[in-house]
Amino acid sequence: MTGVEVVQRRVLRVLAATQVLGAAGVTIGLAVSTLLAAGLSDSDAVGGLAQTAAVVGAAVFAVPAARVAARHGRRPALVFGYVAGAVGAVLAACAVVLRSWHVLLPALVLFGAATSANLAARYAGADLADPRKRARSVAVVVWAATLGAVVGPNLADPAGRFAVAVGLPVGSGPYLLSAVLFGLAALVVARLLRPDPLVLAREAVVPAHCAGGAGGTRGSGAVWRSLPAGAKLALGGITLCHTAMVGLMSMTPVHMDHAGSSLRVVGMVISLHVAAMYIASPLFGWMADRLGRVSVLAIGAALVVAASGIAGMAPAHDAPQLGAGLALLGFGWSAGLVAGSALLTESVAVTDRPAAQGLSDLCMNIGGAIGGVAAGVVVTAWSYAALGLVVGFTALPLLAVCLFASMQRVR
């Protein structure tokens, strides 16, 4: 085993630990944000803005975090995201104490920085990976978030009870626990992510005297103008799969509520979807390394099309069919994220990776915010079935482009 392989194994172990902590912190906070914002404002519209604020925060912090990575490496960039998220979580807890939704929404924008850090971690897993195993390395980091994403929401209630026991409002507890988890994630990265994988990867291809500072890096705008076709396909695939996922998933609880489904049934369907987003990522990583990145991107698009058809045609009371549709939607998101991230990483020079990856996460989160808002408009104006139709037809161009690109490579 080479020295780089030893470092890569260590990097993946550290990133896996931070993913569990970060994902748990994010899902604890988001599990209560909508209800708290609606309760503090007496407005369902403001409640809906809570999730949007966190998504906007993830998008806003993607670019400065990428700049920090480009100048100083992955470690300070990830610490920056987790610390900012912890500050946002503390401010959100203060907003609950003050009973002010005007403070809560800006705090959730800052809270979204932790989501940005969690997403950026997958690229840190790819920096030193063997090109033949790069997608699997990305998948390991994505998969590690499974435990945190599933366990996180279940910690909200104990955290609330602890807050009450120490004299604080019940709603402040989940945010304070999120702050602790983000702080631990920052500490793990700061102490253990050494040597820095991006710095080491850059030094392997750029002489040390030329790699210092930002001299060998470019901004997101310059990188976008020079992106090769493969990188643009990857960026488009990641963004589209994420937009489709957020749009269809966000309106499923509303669709089920109209039929009188219990919160337990709705929770089971959403939990199945979240588990599907992460649990199969190692399989998609292996497939992307064996079959090719573009082929798995095509599979992701096909799964999104199938999911939108199955879920869109499901009656509001048919939890099994909705669960099957949302599970396929989670698989499609996973395939698109893993294959797209690997394709984007290897399509650009190592000095341009942070800018391209930051641009990808910016587009991904903006797409998610737009998808959530647009889905609400479509369902309000027409129906959930119409939303399924729109999502399915939106994913078809990606499927066609990926199939065409795959056939061209075979020839």
Side-chain angles (χ1 to χ4, degrees), residues 341-367:
S341 299
L343 178 60
L344 179 65
T345 297
E346 63 197 19
S347 296
V348 296
V350 65
T351 51
D352 288 336
R353 279 182 191 171
Q357 292 160 349
L359 180 63
S360 170
D361 284 350
L362 172 66
C363 294
M364 176 181 177
N365 284 292
I366 289 176

Side-chain angles (χ1 to χ4, degrees), residues 160-217:
R161 291 201 302 269
F162 176 80
V164 171
V166 298
L168 295 172
V170 62
S172 64
Y175 290 125
L176 292 176
L177 181 55
S178 291
V180 171
L181 291 170
F182 293 155
L184 288 174
L187 183 62
V188 169
V189 170
R191 294 295 301 272
L192 301 180
L193 194 63
R194 299 173 183 272
D196 190 290
L198 180 59
V199 172
L200 202 59
R202 190 180 294 154
E203 288 176 351
V205 297
V206 182
H209 66 277
C210 297
T217 64

Side-chain angles (χ1 to χ4, degrees), residues 37-51:
L40 293 175
S41 64
D42 292 323
S43 168
D44 288 342
V46 173
L49 287 176
Q51 296 277 1

Side-chain angles (χ1 to χ4, degrees), residues 277-376:
M277 287 172 61
Y278 299 107
I279 200 73
S281 56
L283 172 62
F284 291 123
W286 176 82
M287 292 172 64
D289 286 332
R290 294 296 297 272
L291 305 177
R293 322 307 192 206
V294 177
S295 296
V296 177
L297 263 180
I299 292 172
L303 286 168
V304 170
V305 172
S308 61
I310 292 172
M313 292 187 295
H317 58 79
D318 194 342
Q321 184 171 338
L322 286 166
L326 260 68
L328 287 178
L329 184 67
F331 290 144
W333 177 88
S334 182
L337 186 75
V338 169
S341 299
L343 178 60
L344 179 65
T345 297
E346 63 197 19
S347 296
V348 296
V350 65
T351 51
D352 288 336
R353 279 182 191 171
Q357 292 160 349
L359 180 63
S360 170
D361 284 350
L362 172 66
C363 294
M364 176 181 177
N365 284 292
I366 289 176
I370 293 173
V373 173

Side-chain angles (χ1 to χ4, degrees), residues 2-410:
T2 66
V4 172
E5 289 174 331
V6 171
V7 172
Q8 172 66 356
R9 288 195 173 190
R10 177 182 173 85
V11 165
L12 291 180
R13 287 196 297 268
V14 172
L15 293 175
T18 60
Q19 283 289 284
V20 173
L21 294 168
V26 168
T27 53
I28 291 168
L30 295 184
V32 300
S33 293
T34 298
L35 293 176
L36 285 173
L40 293 175
S41 64
D42 292 323
S43 168
D44 288 342
V46 173
L49 287 176
Q51 296 277 1
T52 303
V55 173
V56 168
V60 166
F61 277 91
V63 173
R67 289 175 179 167
V68 173
R71 289 177 177 272
H72 306 292
R74 298 289 185 193
R75 185 171 63 253
L78 294 177
V79 169
F80 166 68
Y82 286 126
V83 169
V87 173
V90 171
L91 290 176
C94 292
V96 176
V97 173
L98 297 172
R99 297 197 57 77
S100 172
W101 65 268
H102 300 88
V103 176
L104 180 61
L105 293 184
L108 289 174
V109 173
L110 199 56
F111 182 95
T115 300
S116 178
N118 255 27
L119 288 171
R122 74 190 191 276
Y123 289 123
D127 285 327
L128 296 175
D130 183 328
R132 296 167 298 178
K133 300 179 181 179
R134 181 169 284 130
R136 276 171 279 186
S137 295
V138 171
V140 165
V141 179
V142 174
W143 176 83
T146 305
L147 180 60
V150 173
V151 172
N154 296 301
L155 297 177
D157 183 58
R161 291 201 302 269
F162 176 80
V164 171
V166 298
L168 295 172
V170 62
S172 64
Y175 290 125
L176 292 176
L177 181 55
S178 291
V180 171
L181 291 170
F182 293 155
L184 288 174
L187 183 62
V188 169
V189 170
R191 294 295 301 272
L192 301 180
L193 194 63
R194 299 173 183 272
D196 190 290
L198 180 59
V199 172
L200 202 59
R202 190 180 294 154
E203 288 176 351
V205 297
V206 182
H209 66 277
C210 297
T217 64
R218 296 183 293 165
S220 297
V223 169
W224 167 253
R225 288 189 291 271
S226 62
L227 280 181
K232 290 181 178 178
L233 177 60
L235 193 152
I238 292 171
T239 301
L240 191 146
C241 288
H242 187 70
T243 303
M245 184 276 292
V246 172
L248 197 58
M249 180 272 293
S250 65
M251 295 310 298
T252 300
V254 177
H255 180 57
M256 297 180 72
D257 182 65
H258 289 164
S261 297
S262 68
L263 287 176
R264 183 178 65 85
V265 173
V266 173
M268 288 175 61
V269 170
I270 298 301
S271 293
L272 180 63
H273 165 71
V274 172
M277 287 172 61
Y278 299 107
I279 200 73
S281 56
L283 172 62
F284 291 123
W286 176 82
M287 292 172 64
D289 286 332
R290 294 296 297 272
L291 305 177
R293 322 307 192 206
V294 177
S295 296
V296 177
L297 263 180
I299 292 172
L303 286 168
V304 170
V305 172
S308 61
I310 292 172
M313 292 187 295
H317 58 79
D318 194 342
Q321 184 171 338
L322 286 166
L326 260 68
L328 287 178
L329 184 67
F331 290 144
W333 177 88
S334 182
L337 186 75
V338 169
S341 299
L343 178 60
L344 179 65
T345 297
E346 63 197 19
S347 296
V348 296
V350 65
T351 51
D352 288 336
R353 279 182 191 171
Q357 292 160 349
L359 180 63
S360 170
D361 284 350
L362 172 66
C363 294
M364 176 181 177
N365 284 292
I366 289 176
I370 293 173
V373 173
V377 172
V378 171
V379 170
T380 301
W382 293 288
S383 65
Y384 183 79
L387 175 62
L389 192 65
V390 169
V391 170
F393 272 101
T394 302
L396 281 176
L398 175 63
L399 176 59
V401 170
C402 289
L403 289 175
F404 177 78
S406 296
M407 289 189 293
Q408 290 295 104
R409 290 189 179 191
V410 171

